Coordinates of all heavy atoms in Angstrom, one line a residue:
M1 N 0.9 -1.2 0.0 CA 0.0 0.0 0.0 C 0.8 1.2 -0.1 O 1.8 1.4 0.9 CB -0.9 -0.1 1.2 CG -1.8 1.2 1.4 SD -2.7 1.1 2.9 CE -3.6 2.4 2.6
K2 N 0.6 2.0 -0.8 CA 1.4 3.3 -1.0 C 0.7 4.4 -0.1 O -0.4 4.7 -0.3 CB 1.6 3.9 -2.5 CG 2.3 5.0 -2.8 CD 3.8 4.6 -2.5 CE 4.5 5.9 -2.9 NZ 6.0 5.8 -2.4
L3 N 1.5 4.9 0.7 CA 1.0 5.9 1.5 C 1.7 7.4 1.3 O 2.9 7.3 0.9 CB 1.3 5.6 3.0 CG 0.8 4.3 3.7 CD1 1.3 4.0 5.0 CD2 -0.7 4.6 3.8
T4 N 0.9 8.5 1.5 CA 1.4 9.7 1.2 C 2.2 10.3 2.5 O 2.2 9.6 3.6 CB 0.2 10.7 1.0 OG1 -0.5 10.9 2.2 CG2 -0.6 10.2 -0.1
E5 N 3.0 11.2 2.4 CA 3.8 11.8 3.5 C 3.0 12.2 4.7 O 3.2 11.9 5.9 CB 4.5 12.9 3.1 CG 6.1 12.6 2.7 CD 6.7 11.5 3.7 OE1 6.9 11.9 4.8 OE2 7.1 10.6 3.1
S6 N 1.7 12.8 4.4 CA 0.7 13.2 5.4 C 0.2 12.0 6.2 O 0.1 12.0 7.4 CB -0.3 14.1 5.0 OG -1.0 13.4 4.1
Q7 N 0.0 10.9 5.5 CA -0.6 9.8 6.1 C 0.4 9.0 7.0 O 0.3 8.7 8.1 CB -1.0 8.7 5.0 CG -2.3 9.1 4.3 CD -2.6 8.2 3.1 OE1 -1.7 7.7 2.6 NE2 -4.0 8.0 3.0
K8 N 1.7 9.1 6.5 CA 2.9 8.6 7.3 C 3.1 9.4 8.6 O 3.3 8.9 9.6 CB 4.2 8.4 6.5 CG 4.2 7.4 5.5 CD 5.5 7.4 4.6 CE 5.5 6.3 3.7 NZ 6.9 6.2 3.0
K9 N 3.1 10.7 8.4 CA 3.2 11.6 9.5 C 2.1 11.3 10.5 O 2.3 11.3 11.8 CB 3.1 13.0 9.0 CG 3.3 13.9 10.1 CD 3.2 15.4 9.7 CE 3.5 16.5 10.7 NZ 3.2 17.8 10.2
H10 N 0.9 11.1 10.2 CA -0.2 10.8 11.1 C 0.0 9.4 11.9 O -0.2 9.3 13.0 CB -1.5 10.7 10.2 CG -2.8 10.2 11.1 ND1 -3.4 11.0 12.0 CD2 -3.3 9.0 11.2 CE1 -4.4 10.3 12.6 NE2 -4.4 9.1 12.1
L11 N 0.5 8.5 11.0 CA 0.8 7.2 11.7 C 2.0 7.3 12.6 O 2.1 6.5 13.5 CB 1.0 6.0 10.5 CG -0.2 5.8 9.7 CD1 0.1 4.8 8.6 CD2 -1.3 5.0 10.7
R12 N 3.0 8.0 12.2 CA 4.1 8.3 13.2 C 3.7 8.8 14.5 O 4.0 8.3 15.6 CB 5.1 9.1 12.6 CG 6.1 8.5 11.7 CD 7.3 9.3 11.3 NE 6.9 10.6 10.7 CZ 6.9 10.7 9.4 NH1 7.0 9.9 8.6 NH2 6.6 12.0 9.0
G13 N 2.7 9.7 14.4 CA 2.1 10.2 15.7 C 1.3 9.2 16.5 O 1.5 9.2 17.6
R14 N 0.6 8.5 15.8 CA -0.1 7.4 16.5 C 0.9 6.3 17.0 O 0.6 5.8 18.0 CB -1.2 6.7 15.6 CG -2.2 7.6 15.0 CD -3.3 7.8 15.8 NE -3.9 6.6 16.5 CZ -5.0 6.1 16.0 NH1 -5.7 6.5 15.0 NH2 -5.5 5.1 16.6
G15 N 2.0 6.1 16.3 CA 2.9 5.0 16.8 C 3.7 5.4 17.9 O 4.5 4.7 18.5
H16 N 3.8 6.8 18.2 CA 4.9 7.2 19.1 C 4.6 6.7 20.5 O 5.6 6.3 21.1 CB 4.8 8.7 19.2 CG 5.7 9.4 20.1 ND1 7.1 9.4 19.9 CD2 5.6 9.9 21.4 CE1 7.7 9.9 21.0 NE2 6.8 10.3 21.9
Q17 N 3.4 6.5 20.9 CA 3.1 5.9 22.3 C 3.2 4.3 22.3 O 3.1 3.8 23.4 CB 1.7 6.4 22.7 CG 0.7 5.8 22.0 CD -0.5 6.8 21.6 OE1 -0.2 8.0 21.8 NE2 -1.6 6.1 21.3
L18 N 3.3 3.7 21.2 CA 3.2 2.3 21.2 C 4.5 1.6 21.7 O 5.6 2.2 21.6 CB 3.0 1.7 19.8 CG 1.7 2.2 19.1 CD1 1.8 1.6 17.6 CD2 0.6 1.6 19.9
N19 N 4.5 0.5 22.3 CA 5.6 -0.2 22.7 C 5.7 -1.4 21.7 O 4.8 -1.8 21.0 CB 5.3 -1.0 24.1 CG 5.2 0.0 25.2 OD1 6.0 1.1 25.2 ND2 4.4 -0.1 26.1
P20 N 7.0 -1.9 21.6 CA 7.3 -2.9 20.5 C 6.5 -4.2 21.0 O 6.5 -4.5 22.2 CB 8.9 -3.2 20.7 CG 9.3 -1.8 21.2 CD 8.3 -1.3 22.2
T21 N 5.8 -4.8 20.0 CA 5.0 -6.1 20.2 C 5.6 -7.2 19.7 O 5.4 -8.3 20.2 CB 3.5 -5.9 19.6 OG1 3.7 -5.5 18.3 CG2 2.8 -4.7 20.4
V22 N 6.5 -7.1 18.7 CA 7.3 -8.3 18.2 C 8.8 -7.9 18.4 O 9.1 -6.8 17.9 CB 6.9 -8.4 16.8 CG1 7.7 -9.7 16.2 CG2 5.4 -8.7 16.5
M23 N 9.5 -8.9 18.9 CA 10.9 -8.8 18.9 C 11.7 -9.8 18.3 O 11.3 -11.0 18.4 CB 11.3 -8.7 20.5 CG 10.7 -7.6 21.2 SD 11.1 -7.7 23.0 CE 10.0 -6.5 23.6
I24 N 12.5 -9.4 17.5 CA 13.4 -10.4 16.6 C 14.9 -10.4 17.2 O 15.5 -9.2 17.2 CB 13.2 -10.0 15.2 CG1 11.9 -10.0 14.7 CG2 14.1 -11.0 14.4 CD1 11.6 -9.5 13.4
G25 N 15.4 -11.4 17.7 CA 16.7 -11.6 18.2 C 17.6 -12.1 17.2 O 17.5 -12.1 16.1
D26 N 18.8 -12.6 17.8 CA 19.9 -13.0 17.0 C 19.5 -14.2 16.1 O 20.1 -14.5 15.0 CB 21.1 -13.5 17.9 CG 21.9 -12.4 18.5 OD1 21.7 -11.2 18.0 OD2 22.4 -12.5 19.6
A27 N 18.5 -15.0 16.5 CA 18.0 -16.2 15.7 C 17.4 -15.7 14.3 O 17.3 -16.5 13.4 CB 17.0 -17.1 16.4
G28 N 17.0 -14.5 14.2 CA 16.4 -14.1 13.0 C 15.0 -14.5 12.8 O 14.3 -14.5 13.7
L29 N 14.5 -14.5 11.6 CA 13.1 -14.8 11.4 C 12.8 -16.3 11.3 O 13.4 -17.0 10.4 CB 12.8 -14.2 9.9 CG 12.9 -12.8 9.8 CD1 12.5 -12.3 8.4 CD2 11.8 -12.1 10.8
S30 N 12.1 -16.8 12.2 CA 11.6 -18.3 12.2 C 10.2 -18.3 11.9 O 9.6 -17.2 11.8 CB 12.0 -18.6 13.7 OG 11.0 -18.1 14.6
E31 N 9.7 -19.4 11.7 CA 8.4 -19.5 11.5 C 7.5 -19.1 12.5 O 6.4 -18.4 12.2 CB 8.0 -21.1 11.2 CG 8.5 -21.7 10.0 CD 8.1 -21.0 8.7 OE1 6.9 -20.6 8.6 OE2 8.9 -20.6 7.7
A32 N 8.0 -19.3 13.8 CA 7.1 -18.9 14.9 C 7.0 -17.3 15.0 O 6.0 -16.7 15.2 CB 7.7 -19.4 16.2
V33 N 8.2 -16.6 14.7 CA 8.2 -15.1 14.7 C 7.4 -14.5 13.5 O 6.7 -13.7 13.7 CB 9.6 -14.7 14.4 CG1 9.7 -13.2 14.2 CG2 10.5 -15.0 15.7
L34 N 7.4 -15.3 12.4 CA 6.5 -14.8 11.3 C 5.1 -15.0 11.6 O 4.3 -14.1 11.2 CB 7.0 -15.6 10.0 CG 8.4 -15.2 9.4 CD1 8.7 -16.2 8.2 CD2 8.4 -13.8 8.8
A35 N 4.8 -16.1 12.2 CA 3.4 -16.4 12.6 C 2.9 -15.3 13.6 O 1.8 -14.7 13.5 CB 3.2 -17.7 13.2
E36 N 3.7 -15.0 14.6 CA 3.3 -14.0 15.5 C 3.3 -12.6 14.9 O 2.4 -11.8 15.2 CB 4.4 -14.0 16.7 CG 4.2 -13.0 17.8 CD 2.9 -13.3 18.6 OE1 2.6 -14.5 18.7 OE2 2.3 -12.3 19.1
F37 N 4.2 -12.3 14.0 CA 4.2 -10.9 13.3 C 2.8 -10.8 12.5 O 2.2 -9.8 12.6 CB 5.4 -10.9 12.4 CG 5.4 -9.7 11.6 CD1 5.7 -8.5 12.2 CD2 5.1 -9.6 10.2 CE1 5.8 -7.2 11.3 CE2 5.1 -8.5 9.5 CZ 5.4 -7.3 10.0
E38 N 2.5 -11.8 11.8 CA 1.2 -11.8 10.9 C 0.1 -11.7 11.8 O -0.8 -10.8 11.5 CB 1.2 -13.1 10.2 CG -0.1 -13.3 9.4 CD -0.5 -12.2 8.4 OE1 0.4 -11.7 7.8 OE2 -1.7 -11.8 8.3
Q39 N 0.1 -12.3 12.9 CA -1.1 -12.2 13.8 C -1.3 -10.9 14.4 O -2.3 -10.2 14.5 CB -1.2 -13.4 14.8 CG -2.3 -13.5 15.7 CD -2.2 -14.5 16.8 OE1 -1.1 -15.1 17.0 NE2 -3.3 -14.7 17.5
T40 N -0.2 -10.3 14.9 CA 0.0 -9.1 15.6 C -0.4 -7.9 14.7 O -1.2 -6.9 15.0 CB 1.3 -8.8 16.3 OG1 1.7 -9.9 17.1 CG2 1.2 -7.6 17.0
L41 N 0.1 -8.0 13.4 CA -0.1 -6.9 12.4 C -1.6 -7.0 12.0 O -2.3 -5.9 11.8 CB 0.8 -7.2 11.2 CG 0.8 -5.9 10.3 CD1 1.2 -4.7 10.9 CD2 1.7 -6.3 9.2
S42 N -2.2 -8.1 11.9 CA -3.6 -8.2 11.5 C -4.5 -7.7 12.5 O -5.6 -7.0 12.2 CB -4.0 -9.8 11.2 OG -3.4 -10.1 10.0
H43 N -4.2 -7.8 13.7 CA -5.0 -7.4 14.9 C -4.9 -5.9 15.1 O -5.8 -5.2 15.3 CB -4.7 -8.2 16.1 CG -5.7 -7.8 17.3 ND1 -5.3 -7.0 18.2 CD2 -6.8 -8.3 17.6 CE1 -6.2 -6.8 19.1 NE2 -7.3 -7.7 18.8
H44 N -3.8 -5.4 15.1 CA -3.5 -4.0 15.5 C -3.3 -3.1 14.3 O -3.4 -1.9 14.5 CB -2.1 -4.0 16.4 CG -2.3 -4.6 17.7 ND1 -3.0 -4.0 18.7 CD2 -1.8 -5.7 18.0 CE1 -3.0 -4.9 19.9 NE2 -2.2 -5.9 19.5
E45 N -2.9 -3.5 13.1 CA -2.6 -2.8 12.0 C -1.4 -1.9 12.0 O -0.7 -1.8 11.1 CB -3.9 -1.9 11.6 CG -5.0 -2.7 11.2 CD -6.3 -1.9 10.8 OE1 -6.6 -0.7 11.4 OE2 -6.9 -2.3 9.8
L46 N -1.1 -1.3 13.1 CA 0.1 -0.4 13.4 C 0.8 -1.1 14.5 O 0.3 -1.1 15.5 CB -0.3 1.0 13.6 CG 0.8 1.9 13.7 CD1 1.5 2.3 12.5 CD2 0.2 3.3 14.2
I47 N 2.1 -1.4 14.2 CA 2.8 -2.1 15.4 C 4.3 -1.5 15.3 O 4.8 -1.3 14.2 CB 2.9 -3.5 15.3 CG1 3.5 -4.1 14.0 CG2 1.5 -4.1 15.5 CD1 3.7 -5.6 13.9
K48 N 4.9 -1.7 16.3 CA 6.4 -1.4 16.6 C 7.0 -2.8 16.7 O 6.5 -3.6 17.5 CB 6.7 -0.7 17.8 CG 6.7 0.8 17.5 CD 7.2 1.5 18.6 CE 7.1 3.2 18.5 NZ 7.4 3.8 19.7
I49 N 8.2 -2.9 16.0 CA 9.0 -4.3 16.3 C 10.4 -3.9 16.6 O 10.8 -2.7 16.2 CB 9.0 -5.1 14.9 CG1 9.6 -4.4 13.7 CG2 7.6 -5.5 14.6 CD1 9.9 -5.3 12.6
T50 N 11.0 -4.6 17.3 CA 12.3 -4.5 17.7 C 13.1 -5.6 17.0 O 12.9 -6.9 17.0 CB 12.6 -4.6 19.2 OG1 11.7 -3.5 19.8 CG2 14.0 -4.4 19.6
V51 N 14.2 -5.2 16.2 CA 15.1 -6.1 15.6 C 16.5 -5.9 16.2 O 17.2 -5.0 15.9 CB 15.1 -5.8 14.0 CG1 16.0 -6.8 13.3 CG2 13.7 -5.8 13.6
R52 N 16.9 -6.9 17.0 CA 18.3 -6.9 17.5 C 19.0 -8.1 16.9 O 19.3 -9.2 17.5 CB 18.0 -7.2 19.1 CG 17.3 -6.1 19.8 CD 17.5 -6.3 21.3 NE 16.6 -5.1 21.9 CZ 17.1 -4.0 22.3 NH1 18.3 -3.7 22.1 NH2 16.3 -3.1 22.9
V53 N 19.6 -7.7 15.8 CA 20.7 -8.5 15.1 C 21.8 -7.8 14.8 O 21.9 -6.5 15.0 CB 20.0 -9.2 13.8 CG1 18.8 -10.1 14.1 CG2 19.6 -8.0 12.9
G54 N 22.9 -8.5 14.4 CA 24.2 -7.9 14.1 C 24.4 -6.5 13.7 O 24.4 -5.6 14.5
D55 N 24.3 -6.1 12.4 CA 24.6 -4.8 12.1 C 23.3 -4.2 11.3 O 22.3 -4.8 11.2 CB 25.8 -4.7 11.1 CG 25.7 -5.6 9.9 OD1 24.6 -6.1 9.7 OD2 26.4 -5.5 9.0
R56 N 23.5 -2.9 10.9 CA 22.4 -2.1 10.3 C 21.8 -2.8 9.1 O 20.7 -2.9 8.7 CB 23.0 -0.8 10.1 CG 22.0 0.1 9.2 CD 22.6 1.5 8.9 NE 22.5 2.3 10.1 CZ 22.1 3.5 10.1 NH1 21.8 4.1 9.0 NH2 21.9 4.1 11.2
T57 N 22.9 -3.3 8.2 CA 22.5 -4.0 7.0 C 21.6 -5.3 7.2 O 20.6 -5.4 6.7 CB 23.7 -4.5 6.2 OG1 24.5 -3.4 6.1 CG2 23.2 -5.0 4.9
A58 N 21.8 -6.0 8.3 CA 21.1 -7.2 8.6 C 19.7 -6.8 9.2 O 18.8 -7.4 8.7 CB 21.8 -8.1 9.6
R59 N 19.7 -5.7 9.8 CA 18.5 -5.2 10.3 C 17.5 -4.7 9.3 O 16.2 -5.1 9.2 CB 18.5 -4.0 11.4 CG 19.1 -4.5 12.7 CD 18.9 -3.3 13.8 NE 19.7 -2.2 13.4 CZ 21.0 -1.8 13.8 NH1 21.5 -2.7 14.6 NH2 21.5 -0.7 13.4
D60 N 18.1 -3.9 8.3 CA 17.4 -3.4 7.2 C 16.8 -4.6 6.3 O 15.7 -4.5 5.8 CB 18.2 -2.6 6.3 CG 18.5 -1.2 7.0 OD1 17.8 -0.8 7.9 OD2 19.5 -0.6 6.4
E61 N 17.6 -5.7 6.2 CA 17.2 -6.8 5.3 C 15.9 -7.5 6.0 O 15.0 -7.9 5.3 CB 18.3 -7.8 5.2 CG 19.4 -7.3 4.3 CD 20.5 -8.2 4.1 OE1 20.5 -9.5 4.6 OE2 21.4 -8.0 3.4
I62 N 16.1 -7.7 7.3 CA 15.0 -8.3 8.1 C 13.7 -7.4 8.0 O 12.5 -7.9 7.6 CB 15.3 -8.6 9.6 CG1 16.3 -9.8 9.5 CG2 14.1 -9.0 10.3 CD1 16.8 -10.0 10.9
I63 N 13.8 -6.1 8.1 CA 12.6 -5.3 8.1 C 12.1 -5.4 6.6 O 10.7 -5.4 6.5 CB 13.0 -3.8 8.5 CG1 13.3 -3.8 10.0 CG2 11.8 -2.9 8.2 CD1 14.0 -2.6 10.5
Q64 N 12.9 -5.3 5.6 CA 12.5 -5.3 4.3 C 11.8 -6.7 3.9 O 10.7 -6.7 3.3 CB 13.5 -5.0 3.3 CG 13.1 -4.8 2.0 CD 12.3 -3.6 1.8 OE1 12.6 -2.5 2.4 NE2 11.2 -3.7 1.1
T65 N 12.3 -7.8 4.5 CA 11.7 -9.1 4.2 C 10.4 -9.1 4.8 O 9.4 -9.7 4.3 CB 12.5 -10.1 4.8 OG1 13.8 -10.1 4.2 CG2 12.0 -11.5 4.7
L66 N 10.2 -8.5 6.1 CA 8.8 -8.6 6.8 C 7.8 -7.6 5.8 O 6.7 -8.2 5.8 CB 9.0 -8.0 8.1 CG 9.7 -8.9 9.2 CD1 9.9 -8.2 10.5 CD2 8.9 -10.1 9.4
C67 N 8.3 -6.5 5.5 CA 7.4 -5.7 4.7 C 6.9 -6.4 3.5 O 5.8 -6.3 3.0 CB 8.1 -4.4 4.4 SG 8.3 -3.4 5.8
D68 N 7.9 -6.8 2.6 CA 7.6 -7.5 1.3 C 6.7 -8.7 1.6 O 5.7 -8.9 0.9 CB 8.9 -7.8 0.7 CG 9.7 -6.6 0.2 OD1 9.2 -5.5 0.2 OD2 10.8 -6.8 -0.2
G69 N 7.0 -9.6 2.5 CA 6.4 -10.8 2.6 C 5.0 -10.7 3.2 O 4.1 -11.5 3.0
Q70 N 4.8 -9.7 4.0 CA 3.5 -9.4 4.6 C 2.7 -8.3 4.1 O 1.7 -7.9 4.6 CB 3.6 -9.1 6.1 CG 4.3 -10.4 6.8 CD 3.5 -11.7 6.5 OE1 2.5 -11.8 6.6 NE2 4.3 -12.8 6.6
N71 N 3.2 -7.7 3.1 CA 2.6 -6.6 2.4 C 2.4 -5.3 3.3 O 1.3 -4.7 3.3 CB 1.3 -6.9 1.7 CG 0.8 -6.0 0.6 OD1 1.6 -5.3 0.1 ND2 -0.5 -6.1 0.3
A72 N 3.3 -5.1 4.1 CA 3.2 -4.1 5.1 C 4.0 -2.8 4.7 O 4.9 -3.0 3.9 CB 3.7 -4.5 6.4
S73 N 3.7 -1.7 5.2 CA 4.5 -0.4 4.9 C 5.3 -0.1 6.0 O 5.0 0.1 7.2 CB 3.4 0.7 4.6 OG 2.6 0.4 3.5
L74 N 6.7 0.2 5.8 CA 7.6 0.9 6.7 C 7.2 2.3 6.9 O 7.3 3.0 6.0 CB 9.0 0.7 6.3 CG 10.0 1.2 7.2 CD1 9.9 0.5 8.6 CD2 11.4 1.1 6.6
I75 N 6.8 2.6 8.1 CA 6.5 4.2 8.4 C 7.7 4.9 8.9 O 8.0 5.9 8.5 CB 5.3 4.2 9.5 CG1 4.1 3.4 8.9 CG2 5.0 5.6 9.8 CD1 3.6 3.8 7.6
Q76 N 8.4 4.1 9.8 CA 9.6 4.8 10.4 C 10.5 3.7 10.9 O 10.1 2.6 11.4 CB 9.2 5.8 11.6 CG 10.3 6.5 12.1 CD 9.7 7.5 13.3 OE1 8.6 7.1 13.9 NE2 10.4 8.5 13.5
R77 N 11.8 4.0 10.9 CA 12.8 3.2 11.5 C 13.8 4.1 12.3 O 14.3 5.0 11.7 CB 13.5 2.4 10.4 CG 14.6 1.5 11.0 CD 15.5 0.9 9.9 NE 16.5 0.1 10.3 CZ 17.8 0.6 10.7 NH1 17.9 1.9 10.7 NH2 18.8 -0.1 11.3
M78 N 14.1 3.7 13.5 CA 15.0 4.4 14.2 C 15.7 3.3 15.1 O 15.2 2.7 16.0 CB 14.2 5.3 15.4 CG 13.6 6.6 14.6 SD 12.8 7.7 15.7 CE 14.2 8.2 16.6
G79 N 17.1 3.2 14.8 CA 17.8 2.3 15.3 C 17.3 0.8 15.3 O 17.2 0.3 14.2
N80 N 17.0 0.2 16.4 CA 16.5 -1.3 16.3 C 15.1 -1.3 16.2 O 14.5 -2.4 16.4 CB 16.9 -1.8 17.6 CG 18.5 -2.0 17.8 OD1 19.2 -2.1 16.7 ND2 19.0 -2.1 18.9
V81 N 14.4 -0.2 16.1 CA 12.9 -0.2 16.3 C 12.4 0.3 14.8 O 12.8 1.4 14.3 CB 12.4 0.8 17.4 CG1 10.8 0.8 17.4 CG2 12.9 0.3 18.8
A82 N 11.2 -0.4 14.5 CA 10.6 -0.1 13.3 C 9.0 0.0 13.5 O 8.6 -0.7 14.3 CB 10.9 -1.1 12.1
L83 N 8.5 0.9 12.8 CA 7.0 1.1 12.9 C 6.4 0.7 11.5 O 6.9 1.2 10.5 CB 6.7 2.6 13.2 CG 5.2 2.9 13.4 CD1 4.5 2.2 14.6 CD2 5.0 4.3 13.5
L84 N 5.5 -0.3 11.6 CA 5.0 -0.9 10.4 C 3.5 -0.9 10.3 O 2.8 -0.9 11.4 CB 5.4 -2.3 10.2 CG 6.9 -2.6 10.3 CD1 7.2 -4.2 10.3 CD2 7.6 -2.0 9.0
Y85 N 2.9 -0.7 9.1 CA 1.4 -0.4 9.0 C 1.0 -1.5 7.9 O 1.6 -1.5 6.9 CB 1.0 1.0 8.8 CG -0.3 1.1 8.5 CD1 -1.3 1.1 9.3 CD2 -0.7 1.3 7.0 CE1 -2.7 1.2 8.9 CE2 -2.1 1.5 6.7 CZ -3.0 1.4 7.8 OH -4.4 1.6 7.3
R86 N -0.1 -2.0 8.1 CA -0.9 -2.7 7.1 C -2.4 -2.7 7.5 O -2.9 -3.2 8.6 CB -0.5 -4.1 7.0 CG -1.2 -4.8 5.8 CD -0.8 -6.3 5.7 NE -1.4 -7.0 6.8 CZ -1.2 -8.3 7.2 NH1 -0.2 -8.9 6.6 NH2 -1.6 -8.8 8.2
A87 N -3.2 -2.1 6.6 CA -4.6 -2.1 6.9 C -5.2 -3.6 6.8 O -4.8 -4.3 6.1 CB -5.3 -1.2 5.8
N88 N -6.3 -3.8 7.5 CA -6.9 -5.1 7.7 C -8.4 -4.9 7.1 O -9.2 -4.4 7.8 CB -6.9 -5.7 9.1 CG -7.4 -7.0 9.3 OD1 -7.9 -7.6 8.3 ND2 -7.5 -7.6 10.5
P89 N -8.6 -5.2 5.9 CA -9.9 -5.0 5.3 C -10.8 -6.0 5.9 O -12.2 -5.8 5.8 CB -9.7 -5.4 3.9 CG -8.5 -6.3 3.7 CD -7.6 -5.8 5.0
D90 N -10.5 -7.1 6.6 CA -11.5 -8.0 7.4 C -12.1 -7.4 8.6 O -13.1 -7.9 9.2 CB -10.8 -9.3 7.7 CG -10.4 -10.0 6.4 OD1 -10.9 -9.7 5.2 OD2 -9.5 -10.8 6.4
K91 N -11.5 -6.4 9.2 CA -12.0 -5.7 10.3 C -13.2 -5.0 10.0 O -13.3 -4.4 9.1 CB -10.9 -4.9 11.1 CG -9.9 -5.6 11.8 CD -8.9 -4.6 12.3 CE -9.0 -4.5 13.9 NZ -7.9 -3.7 14.5
P92 N -14.2 -4.9 11.0 CA -15.2 -4.0 10.9 C -14.8 -2.6 10.7 O -13.9 -2.1 11.4 CB -16.1 -4.3 12.0 CG -15.6 -5.3 12.8 CD -14.2 -5.7 12.2
P93 N -15.5 -1.7 9.9 CA -15.2 -0.4 9.8 C -14.9 0.4 11.0 O -13.9 1.2 11.0 CB -16.1 0.3 8.8 CG -16.7 -0.9 8.1 CD -16.7 -2.2 9.0
E94 N -15.7 0.2 12.0 CA -15.5 1.1 13.2 C -14.3 0.7 14.0 O -14.0 1.4 14.9 CB -16.8 0.9 14.0 CG -17.2 -0.4 14.5 CD -17.9 -1.3 13.5 OE1 -18.2 -0.9 12.5 OE2 -18.2 -2.5 13.9
K95 N -13.8 -0.5 13.7 CA -12.6 -0.9 14.5 C -11.2 -0.8 13.8 O -10.1 -1.0 14.3 CB -12.7 -2.4 14.9 CG -13.8 -2.6 15.8 CD -13.9 -4.0 16.4 CE -15.0 -4.1 17.4 NZ -14.7 -4.9 18.6
R96 N -11.3 -0.3 12.5 CA -10.2 -0.1 11.6 C -9.4 1.2 12.1 O -10.0 2.1 12.7 CB -10.5 0.1 10.3 CG -10.9 -1.2 9.7 CD -11.1 -1.1 8.2 NE -11.9 -2.0 7.6 CZ -12.7 -2.0 6.6 NH1 -12.7 -0.9 5.9 NH2 -13.3 -3.1 6.1
L97 N -8.1 1.1 11.9 CA -7.4 2.4 12.2 C -7.6 3.3 11.2 O -7.5 3.1 10.0 CB -5.8 2.0 12.3 CG -4.9 3.2 12.6 CD1 -4.9 3.5 14.0 CD2 -3.4 2.6 12.5
R98 N -8.0 4.7 11.5 CA -8.4 5.6 10.7 C -7.1 6.4 10.3 O -6.4 6.8 11.1 CB -9.4 6.5 11.1 CG -10.7 5.7 11.3 CD -12.0 6.5 11.7 NE -13.1 5.8 11.9 CZ -13.4 5.6 13.2 NH1 -12.9 6.2 14.2 NH2 -14.6 4.9 13.4
I99 N -7.0 6.6 9.0 CA -5.9 7.4 8.6 C -6.5 8.5 7.6 O -7.4 8.2 6.9 CB -4.7 6.7 7.9 CG1 -5.2 5.9 6.7 CG2 -4.1 5.8 8.9 CD1 -4.0 5.4 5.9
P100 N -5.8 9.7 7.5 CA -6.4 10.7 6.5 C -6.3 10.1 5.1 O -5.4 9.3 4.7 CB -5.4 11.8 6.8 CG -4.4 11.7 7.7 CD -4.8 10.2 8.2
S101 N -7.3 10.7 4.3 CA -7.3 10.1 2.9 C -6.2 10.7 2.0 O -5.8 10.0 1.0 CB -8.7 10.4 2.3 OG -8.9 11.8 2.3
R102 N -5.6 11.6 2.5 CA -4.5 12.3 1.8 C -3.3 12.7 2.7 O -3.4 13.0 3.7 CB -4.9 13.5 1.0 CG -5.8 13.4 -0.1 CD -6.1 14.5 -1.0 NE -7.2 14.5 -1.5 CZ -7.7 15.6 -2.4 NH1 -6.8 16.4 -2.8 NH2 -8.8 15.4 -2.8

């Protein structure tokens, strides 16, 4: 999903108060981590993840793999923490995360 800068800014504001819900350690991406990531993203739509692996390149690769594999959008990345968003069309409209149309 392609988001505009104003939509990303809105989501960054919403994500500021969130705590990381998925943590990825030195073991990297396992089936269990991917399943937990999918379930958490579907439920919350906007989540923070912590990626504690080797260097910056490895962190970027893991975050990119999660975004590509789960069709999520990277909103912000600061150090070991990334903020990811994916709308859940299966949720009732009143329970979806609302973002500005532009």
